[in-house]
Amino acid sequence: MHRDIAPGITQIATTRRDNAFLIAGDDGFTLVDVGWASAPATLLTAVADLGRKLSDIRRVVLTHAHPDHVQGAAELRDLTGAQILIHPADHPWLKAGRVPREGRSGSVGRLLDRLPKLRWTPFTADATVTDGDPIDDSDGLRVIHTPGHTPGHIALLHEPTHTALLGDAVFHRGSLTLGPAALAAAPALRPAALTALPPDLRTIAFAHGSPLTGARAEDFHLFLERLQRNSGDARSQR
Ligand SMILES: [Zn+2]
Ligand SMILES: [Zn+2]
């Protein structure tokens, strides 16, 4: 299942709960996130539906090193020859093939990481990207570092269409939330990290949940305002 959410941006459901994104550039596609081990096969079908071939995926940007985003990445690189990019703070996790103990603030998260199905084949990225970096000359993407969910979590801003691909910085399953604190590395950092997003976003897309487009983009701006107000209140009560 895939659909265009803005000019040049296709959202692909790699499972019923997980999304990856294809961004068109001059030399082919940039893929934002991969998904579980089953994702490469789903991505292959979606790219074929678009009349393109898998090797048209030239690079893969990982929003962070959690298994539901990176487990299929090593296989996808074998199939496509794509370059894999990640923030340096999450790169050691990629190379370890698992989330380390300090990667989850709560015991529930640490217990989950002991399950073999939440591991992945360790691999090394081709390059790292940090706040403000463009991904490629032609795909229009820029990195916004949004730490908290993981230390190296990044959002991608598609400047030509004022679209933000938020990864797991915000979840949109039914309602907008920051997600479970126990699964985040440093949950308290999350509200402030989102202030780096530009105020004029027209489309907001999520790794988990449906995108907000058109008039519904306003829902996201109201969510951010509420978040900043609440985190301000929490600070003043300390
Ligand atoms: Zn995550
Ligand atoms: Zn996720």
CSV table of all heavy atoms in Angstrom, one decimal, residues 108-159:
chain,number,residue,atom,x,y,z
A,108,VAL,N,10.4,-1.8,31.0
A,108,VAL,CA,9.6,-2.5,29.9
A,108,VAL,C,10.4,-2.5,28.6
A,108,VAL,O,10.5,-3.5,28.0
A,108,VAL,CB,8.3,-1.7,29.7
A,108,VAL,CG1,7.5,-2.4,28.6
A,108,VAL,CG2,7.4,-1.7,31.0
A,109,GLY,N,11.0,-1.3,28.3
A,109,GLY,CA,11.8,-1.3,27.1
A,109,GLY,C,13.0,-2.2,27.1
A,109,GLY,O,13.3,-2.9,26.2
A,110,ARG,N,13.7,-2.2,28.3
A,110,ARG,CA,14.9,-3.1,28.4
A,110,ARG,C,14.5,-4.5,28.3
A,110,ARG,O,15.3,-5.3,27.7
A,110,ARG,CB,15.6,-2.8,29.7
A,110,ARG,CG,16.2,-1.4,29.7
A,110,ARG,CD,17.2,-1.2,30.8
A,110,ARG,NE,16.6,-1.0,32.1
A,110,ARG,CZ,16.3,0.2,32.6
A,110,ARG,NH1,16.6,1.3,31.9
A,110,ARG,NH2,15.7,0.3,33.8
A,111,LEU,N,13.3,-4.9,28.9
A,111,LEU,CA,12.9,-6.3,28.7
A,111,LEU,C,12.6,-6.7,27.3
A,111,LEU,O,13.0,-7.7,26.8
A,111,LEU,CB,11.6,-6.5,29.6
A,111,LEU,CG,11.8,-6.9,31.0
A,111,LEU,CD1,10.4,-6.9,31.7
A,111,LEU,CD2,12.4,-8.3,31.1
A,112,LEU,N,11.9,-5.8,26.6
A,112,LEU,CA,11.6,-6.0,25.2
A,112,LEU,C,12.9,-6.3,24.3
A,112,LEU,O,12.9,-7.2,23.5
A,112,LEU,CB,10.8,-4.9,24.6
A,112,LEU,CG,9.4,-4.7,24.9
A,112,LEU,CD1,8.8,-3.4,24.4
A,112,LEU,CD2,8.6,-5.9,24.4
A,113,ASP,N,13.9,-5.5,24.6
A,113,ASP,CA,15.2,-5.6,23.8
A,113,ASP,C,15.9,-6.9,24.0
A,113,ASP,O,16.8,-7.2,23.3
A,113,ASP,CB,16.1,-4.5,24.2
A,113,ASP,CG,15.6,-3.1,23.7
A,113,ASP,OD1,14.9,-3.1,22.6
A,113,ASP,OD2,15.8,-2.1,24.4
A,114,ARG,N,15.4,-7.7,25.0
A,114,ARG,CA,16.1,-9.0,25.2
A,114,ARG,C,15.5,-10.1,24.3
A,114,ARG,O,16.0,-11.2,24.1
A,114,ARG,CB,15.9,-9.5,26.7
A,114,ARG,CG,16.8,-8.7,27.6
A,114,ARG,CD,16.4,-8.8,29.1
A,114,ARG,NE,16.6,-10.1,29.6
A,114,ARG,CZ,16.4,-10.4,30.8
A,114,ARG,NH1,16.0,-9.5,31.7
A,114,ARG,NH2,16.5,-11.7,31.3
A,115,LEU,N,14.3,-9.7,23.6
A,115,LEU,CA,13.7,-10.7,22.7
A,115,LEU,C,14.6,-10.7,21.4
A,115,LEU,O,14.9,-9.7,20.8
A,115,LEU,CB,12.3,-10.2,22.3
A,115,LEU,CG,11.3,-10.1,23.4
A,115,LEU,CD1,10.0,-9.4,22.9
A,115,LEU,CD2,11.0,-11.4,24.0
A,116,PRO,N,14.9,-12.0,21.0
A,116,PRO,CA,15.7,-12.1,19.7
A,116,PRO,C,15.0,-11.4,18.5
A,116,PRO,O,15.7,-10.9,17.7
A,116,PRO,CB,15.7,-13.6,19.5
A,116,PRO,CG,15.5,-14.2,20.9
A,116,PRO,CD,14.6,-13.3,21.6
A,117,LYS,N,13.7,-11.4,18.5
A,117,LYS,CA,13.1,-10.8,17.3
A,117,LYS,C,13.2,-9.3,17.2
A,117,LYS,O,12.9,-8.7,16.2
A,117,LYS,CB,11.6,-11.2,17.2
A,117,LYS,CG,10.7,-10.6,18.3
A,117,LYS,CD,9.3,-10.9,18.1
A,117,LYS,CE,8.4,-10.2,19.1
A,117,LYS,NZ,7.0,-10.5,19.1
A,118,LEU,N,13.8,-8.7,18.3
A,118,LEU,CA,14.0,-7.2,18.3
A,118,LEU,C,15.5,-6.9,18.0
A,118,LEU,O,15.9,-5.8,18.1
A,118,LEU,CB,13.6,-6.5,19.6
A,118,LEU,CG,12.1,-6.5,19.9
A,118,LEU,CD1,11.7,-5.6,21.0
A,118,LEU,CD2,11.3,-6.2,18.6
A,119,ARG,N,16.3,-7.9,17.6
A,119,ARG,CA,17.7,-7.7,17.2
A,119,ARG,C,17.7,-7.6,15.7
A,119,ARG,O,16.7,-7.8,15.0
A,119,ARG,CB,18.5,-8.9,17.6
A,119,ARG,CG,18.4,-9.3,19.1
A,119,ARG,CD,19.1,-8.3,19.9
A,119,ARG,NE,18.9,-8.6,21.4
A,119,ARG,CZ,19.6,-9.5,22.1
A,119,ARG,NH1,20.6,-10.2,21.5
A,119,ARG,NH2,19.4,-9.7,23.4
A,120,TRP,N,18.9,-7.2,15.2
A,120,TRP,CA,19.0,-7.2,13.7
A,120,TRP,C,20.5,-7.5,13.4
A,120,TRP,O,21.3,-7.6,14.3
A,120,TRP,CB,18.7,-5.8,13.1
A,120,TRP,CG,19.5,-4.6,13.7
A,120,TRP,CD1,20.7,-4.2,13.2
A,120,TRP,CD2,19.1,-3.8,14.8
A,120,TRP,NE1,21.1,-3.1,14.0
A,120,TRP,CE2,20.2,-2.8,14.9
A,120,TRP,CE3,18.1,-3.8,15.7
A,120,TRP,CZ2,20.2,-1.9,15.9
A,120,TRP,CZ3,18.1,-2.8,16.7
A,120,TRP,CH2,19.1,-1.9,16.8
A,121,THR,N,20.8,-7.8,12.1
A,121,THR,CA,22.1,-8.1,11.7
A,121,THR,C,23.0,-6.8,11.8
A,121,THR,O,22.6,-5.8,11.2
A,121,THR,CB,22.1,-8.5,10.2
A,121,THR,OG1,21.2,-9.6,10.0
A,121,THR,CG2,23.5,-9.0,9.7
A,122,PRO,N,24.0,-6.9,12.6
A,122,PRO,CA,24.8,-5.6,12.8
A,122,PRO,C,25.4,-5.2,11.5
A,122,PRO,O,25.8,-6.0,10.7
A,122,PRO,CB,25.9,-6.1,13.8
A,122,PRO,CG,25.4,-7.3,14.4
A,122,PRO,CD,24.5,-8.0,13.4
A,123,PHE,N,25.4,-3.9,11.3
A,123,PHE,CA,26.1,-3.4,10.1
A,123,PHE,C,26.5,-2.0,10.3
A,123,PHE,O,26.1,-1.3,11.2
A,123,PHE,CB,25.2,-3.5,8.8
A,123,PHE,CG,23.9,-2.7,8.9
A,123,PHE,CD1,23.8,-1.4,8.2
A,123,PHE,CD2,22.8,-3.1,9.6
A,123,PHE,CE1,22.7,-0.7,8.3
A,123,PHE,CE2,21.7,-2.4,9.6
A,123,PHE,CZ,21.6,-1.1,9.0
A,124,THR,N,27.4,-1.5,9.4
A,124,THR,CA,28.0,-0.2,9.5
A,124,THR,C,27.4,0.7,8.4
A,124,THR,O,27.2,0.3,7.3
A,124,THR,CB,29.5,-0.3,9.2
A,124,THR,OG1,30.1,-1.2,10.2
A,124,THR,CG2,30.2,1.0,9.4
A,125,ALA,N,27.0,1.9,8.8
A,125,ALA,CA,26.5,2.9,7.8
A,125,ALA,C,27.6,3.4,6.9
A,125,ALA,O,28.8,3.3,7.2
A,125,ALA,CB,25.8,4.1,8.6
A,126,ASP,N,27.2,3.9,5.7
A,126,ASP,CA,28.1,4.4,4.8
A,126,ASP,C,28.6,5.9,5.1
A,126,ASP,O,29.6,6.3,4.8
A,126,ASP,CB,27.5,4.4,3.4
A,126,ASP,CG,27.2,3.0,3.0
A,126,ASP,OD1,28.1,2.3,2.6
A,126,ASP,OD2,26.0,2.6,3.0
A,127,ALA,N,27.7,6.6,5.9
A,127,ALA,CA,28.0,8.0,6.3
A,127,ALA,C,27.1,8.3,7.4
A,127,ALA,O,26.1,7.7,7.6
A,127,ALA,CB,27.8,8.9,5.1
A,128,THR,N,27.5,9.4,8.2
A,128,THR,CA,26.6,9.9,9.2
A,128,THR,C,26.2,11.3,8.8
A,128,THR,O,26.8,12.0,8.1
A,128,THR,CB,27.3,9.9,10.6
A,128,THR,OG1,28.5,10.6,10.5
A,128,THR,CG2,27.6,8.5,11.1
A,129,VAL,N,25.0,11.7,9.4
A,129,VAL,CA,24.4,13.0,9.1
A,129,VAL,C,24.0,13.7,10.4
A,129,VAL,O,23.5,13.0,11.3
A,129,VAL,CB,23.2,13.0,8.1
A,129,VAL,CG1,23.6,12.6,6.7
A,129,VAL,CG2,22.2,11.9,8.6
A,130,THR,N,24.2,15.0,10.5
A,130,THR,CA,23.9,15.7,11.7
A,130,THR,C,23.0,16.9,11.4
A,130,THR,O,22.7,17.2,10.2
A,130,THR,CB,25.1,16.2,12.5
A,130,THR,OG1,25.9,17.0,11.6
A,130,THR,CG2,26.0,15.0,12.9
A,131,ASP,N,22.5,17.6,12.5
A,131,ASP,CA,21.6,18.7,12.4
A,131,ASP,C,21.9,19.7,11.3
A,131,ASP,O,23.1,20.2,11.3
A,131,ASP,CB,21.5,19.4,13.7
A,131,ASP,CG,20.3,20.3,13.8
A,131,ASP,OD1,19.1,19.8,13.5
A,131,ASP,OD2,20.5,21.5,14.1
A,132,GLY,N,21.0,20.0,10.4
A,132,GLY,CA,21.2,21.0,9.4
A,132,GLY,C,21.8,20.4,8.1
A,132,GLY,O,21.8,21.1,7.0
A,133,ASP,N,22.2,19.2,8.1
A,133,ASP,CA,22.8,18.6,6.8
A,133,ASP,C,21.8,18.4,5.8
A,133,ASP,O,20.7,17.9,6.1
A,133,ASP,CB,23.5,17.2,7.1
A,133,ASP,CG,24.8,17.3,7.8
A,133,ASP,OD1,25.3,18.4,8.0
A,133,ASP,OD2,25.3,16.3,8.2
A,134,PRO,N,22.1,18.7,4.5
A,134,PRO,CA,21.2,18.3,3.4
A,134,PRO,C,21.5,16.8,3.1
A,134,PRO,O,22.7,16.4,3.4
A,134,PRO,CB,21.6,19.1,2.2
A,134,PRO,CG,23.1,19.5,2.5
A,134,PRO,CD,23.2,19.5,4.0
A,135,ILE,N,20.6,16.0,2.7
A,135,ILE,CA,20.8,14.6,2.4
A,135,ILE,C,21.5,14.5,1.0
A,135,ILE,O,22.4,13.8,0.8
A,135,ILE,CB,19.5,13.8,2.4
A,135,ILE,CG1,19.0,13.8,3.9
A,135,ILE,CG2,19.7,12.3,2.0
A,135,ILE,CD1,19.9,13.2,4.9
A,136,ASP,N,20.9,15.2,0.0
A,136,ASP,CA,21.4,15.1,-1.4
A,136,ASP,C,21.1,16.4,-2.0
A,136,ASP,O,20.2,17.1,-1.6
A,136,ASP,CB,20.7,13.9,-2.1
A,136,ASP,CG,21.1,13.9,-3.5
A,136,ASP,OD1,22.3,13.6,-3.8
A,136,ASP,OD2,20.2,14.1,-4.4
A,137,ASP,N,21.8,16.8,-3.1
A,137,ASP,CA,21.6,18.1,-3.8
A,137,ASP,C,20.2,18.2,-4.3
A,137,ASP,O,19.6,19.2,-4.4
A,137,ASP,CB,22.6,18.2,-4.9
A,137,ASP,CG,24.0,18.5,-4.4
A,137,ASP,OD1,24.1,18.9,-3.2
A,137,ASP,OD2,25.0,18.2,-5.1
A,138,SER,N,19.6,17.0,-4.7
A,138,SER,CA,18.4,17.1,-5.5
A,138,SER,C,17.1,16.6,-4.8
A,138,SER,O,16.0,16.8,-5.3
A,138,SER,CB,18.5,16.3,-6.8
A,138,SER,OG,18.6,14.9,-6.5
A,139,ASP,N,17.2,16.0,-3.6
A,139,ASP,CA,16.0,15.4,-3.0
A,139,ASP,C,15.3,16.4,-2.1
A,139,ASP,O,14.2,16.2,-1.7
A,139,ASP,CB,16.2,14.1,-2.3
A,139,ASP,CG,17.2,14.2,-1.1
A,139,ASP,OD1,17.5,15.3,-0.7
A,139,ASP,OD2,17.7,13.1,-0.7
A,140,GLY,N,15.9,17.6,-1.8
A,140,GLY,CA,15.2,18.6,-1.0
A,140,GLY,C,15.2,18.3,0.5
A,140,GLY,O,14.5,19.0,1.2
A,141,LEU,N,15.8,17.3,1.0
A,141,LEU,CA,15.7,16.9,2.4
A,141,LEU,C,16.8,17.5,3.2
A,141,LEU,O,17.9,17.6,2.8
A,141,LEU,CB,15.8,15.3,2.5
A,141,LEU,CG,14.7,14.5,2.0
A,141,LEU,CD1,15.0,13.0,2.1
A,141,LEU,CD2,13.4,14.8,2.7
A,142,ARG,N,16.4,17.9,4.4
A,142,ARG,CA,17.4,18.4,5.4
A,142,ARG,C,17.2,17.8,6.8
A,142,ARG,O,16.0,17.5,7.1
A,142,ARG,CB,17.3,20.0,5.5
A,142,ARG,CG,18.4,20.6,6.3
A,142,ARG,CD,18.3,22.1,6.2
A,142,ARG,NE,18.6,22.6,4.8
A,142,ARG,CZ,19.8,22.8,4.3
A,142,ARG,NH1,20.9,22.5,5.0
A,142,ARG,NH2,19.9,23.2,3.1
A,143,VAL,N,18.3,17.5,7.5
A,143,VAL,CA,18.2,16.8,8.8
A,143,VAL,C,17.9,17.8,9.9
A,143,VAL,O,18.4,18.9,10.0
A,143,VAL,CB,19.6,16.2,9.1
A,143,VAL,CG1,19.6,15.6,10.5
A,143,VAL,CG2,19.9,15.1,8.0
A,144,ILE,N,16.9,17.4,10.8
A,144,ILE,CA,16.7,18.1,12.0
A,144,ILE,C,16.9,17.1,13.2
A,144,ILE,O,16.2,16.1,13.2
A,144,ILE,CB,15.2,18.7,12.1
A,144,ILE,CG1,15.0,19.6,10.9
A,144,ILE,CG2,15.0,19.4,13.4
A,144,ILE,CD1,13.6,20.2,10.9
A,145,HIS,N,17.9,17.4,14.0
A,145,HIS,CA,18.2,16.5,15.1
A,145,HIS,C,17.1,16.6,16.2
A,145,HIS,O,16.8,17.7,16.6
A,145,HIS,CB,19.5,16.8,15.7
A,145,HIS,CG,20.0,15.9,16.7
A,145,HIS,ND1,20.9,16.2,17.7
A,145,HIS,CD2,19.7,14.5,16.9
A,145,HIS,CE1,21.1,15.2,18.5
A,145,HIS,NE2,20.4,14.1,18.0
A,146,THR,N,16.4,15.6,16.5
A,146,THR,CA,15.3,15.6,17.5
A,146,THR,C,15.5,14.5,18.5
A,146,THR,O,14.9,13.5,18.5
A,146,THR,CB,13.9,15.3,16.8
A,146,THR,OG1,14.1,14.2,15.9
A,146,THR,CG2,13.5,16.5,15.9
A,147,PRO,N,16.5,14.7,19.4
A,147,PRO,CA,16.9,13.7,20.4
A,147,PRO,C,15.8,13.5,21.4
A,147,PRO,O,15.0,14.4,21.7
A,147,PRO,CB,18.2,14.2,21.0
A,147,PRO,CG,18.1,15.7,20.8
A,147,PRO,CD,17.3,15.9,19.5
A,148,GLY,N,15.9,12.3,22.0
A,148,GLY,CA,14.9,12.0,23.1
A,148,GLY,C,14.5,10.6,23.0
A,148,GLY,O,14.7,9.7,23.8
A,149,HIS,N,13.7,10.3,21.9
A,149,HIS,CA,13.3,8.9,21.6
A,149,HIS,C,14.6,8.0,21.5
A,149,HIS,O,14.6,7.0,22.2
A,149,HIS,CB,12.5,8.9,20.3
A,149,HIS,CG,11.9,7.6,19.9
A,149,HIS,ND1,10.9,7.0,20.6
A,149,HIS,CD2,12.3,6.7,19.0
A,149,HIS,CE1,10.6,5.8,20.1
A,149,HIS,NE2,11.5,5.6,19.1
A,150,THR,N,15.6,8.4,20.8
A,150,THR,CA,16.9,7.9,20.9
A,150,THR,C,17.9,9.1,20.8
A,150,THR,O,17.4,10.2,20.5
A,150,THR,CB,17.3,7.0,19.7
A,150,THR,OG1,17.3,7.8,18.5
A,150,THR,CG2,16.3,5.8,19.5
A,151,PRO,N,19.1,8.9,21.2
A,151,PRO,CA,20.0,10.1,21.2
A,151,PRO,C,20.3,10.7,19.8
A,151,PRO,O,20.5,11.9,19.7
A,151,PRO,CB,21.4,9.5,21.8
A,151,PRO,CG,21.0,8.2,22.3
A,151,PRO,CD,19.8,7.7,21.7
A,152,GLY,N,20.2,9.8,18.8
A,152,GLY,CA,20.5,10.3,17.5
A,152,GLY,C,19.3,10.3,16.6
A,152,GLY,O,19.4,10.3,15.4
A,153,HIS,N,18.1,10.5,17.2
A,153,HIS,CA,16.9,10.5,16.4
A,153,HIS,C,16.9,11.8,15.5
A,153,HIS,O,17.2,12.9,16.0
A,153,HIS,CB,15.6,10.5,17.3
A,153,HIS,CG,14.3,10.3,16.5
A,153,HIS,ND1,13.8,11.4,15.7
A,153,HIS,CD2,13.5,9.3,16.3
A,153,HIS,CE1,12.7,10.9,15.1
A,153,HIS,NE2,12.5,9.6,15.4
A,154,ILE,N,16.5,11.6,14.2
A,154,ILE,CA,16.4,12.8,13.4
A,154,ILE,C,15.0,12.8,12.7
A,154,ILE,O,14.4,11.7,12.4
A,154,ILE,CB,17.5,12.8,12.3
A,154,ILE,CG1,17.5,11.5,11.4
A,154,ILE,CG2,18.9,13.0,12.9
A,154,ILE,CD1,18.4,11.6,10.2
A,155,ALA,N,14.5,14.0,12.4
A,155,ALA,CA,13.4,14.2,11.5
A,155,ALA,C,14.0,14.7,10.2
A,155,ALA,O,15.1,15.2,10.2
A,155,ALA,CB,12.4,15.2,12.1
A,156,LEU,N,13.2,14.5,9.1
A,156,LEU,CA,13.7,15.0,7.8
A,156,LEU,C,12.7,16.0,7.3
A,156,LEU,O,11.5,15.8,7.3
A,156,LEU,CB,13.7,13.8,6.8
A,156,LEU,CG,14.9,12.9,6.8
A,156,LEU,CD1,16.2,13.7,6.8
A,156,LEU,CD2,14.9,12.0,7.9
A,157,LEU,N,13.2,17.2,7.0
A,157,LEU,CA,12.4,18.3,6.4
A,157,LEU,C,12.5,18.3,4.9
A,157,LEU,O,13.6,18.3,4.4
A,157,LEU,CB,12.8,19.6,7.0
A,157,LEU,CG,12.1,20.8,6.6
A,157,LEU,CD1,10.6,20.7,7.1
A,157,LEU,CD2,12.8,22.1,7.2
A,158,HIS,N,11.4,18.2,4.2
A,158,HIS,CA,11.4,18.3,2.7
A,158,HIS,C,11.1,19.7,2.4
A,158,HIS,O,9.9,20.1,2.4
A,158,HIS,CB,10.4,17.3,2.1
A,158,HIS,CG,10.4,17.2,0.6
A,158,HIS,ND1,9.4,17.7,-0.2
A,158,HIS,CD2,11.4,16.7,-0.2
A,158,HIS,CE1,9.8,17.4,-1.5
A,158,HIS,NE2,10.9,16.8,-1.5
A,159,GLU,N,12.1,20.5,2.1
A,159,GLU,CA,12.0,21.9,2.0
A,159,GLU,C,11.0,22.4,0.9
A,159,GLU,O,10.2,23.3,1.1
A,159,GLU,CB,13.3,22.6,2.0
A,159,GLU,CG,14.1,22.4,3.3
A,159,GLU,CD,15.5,23.0,3.4
A,159,GLU,OE1,16.2,22.9,2.3
A,159,GLU,OE2,15.8,23.6,4.4
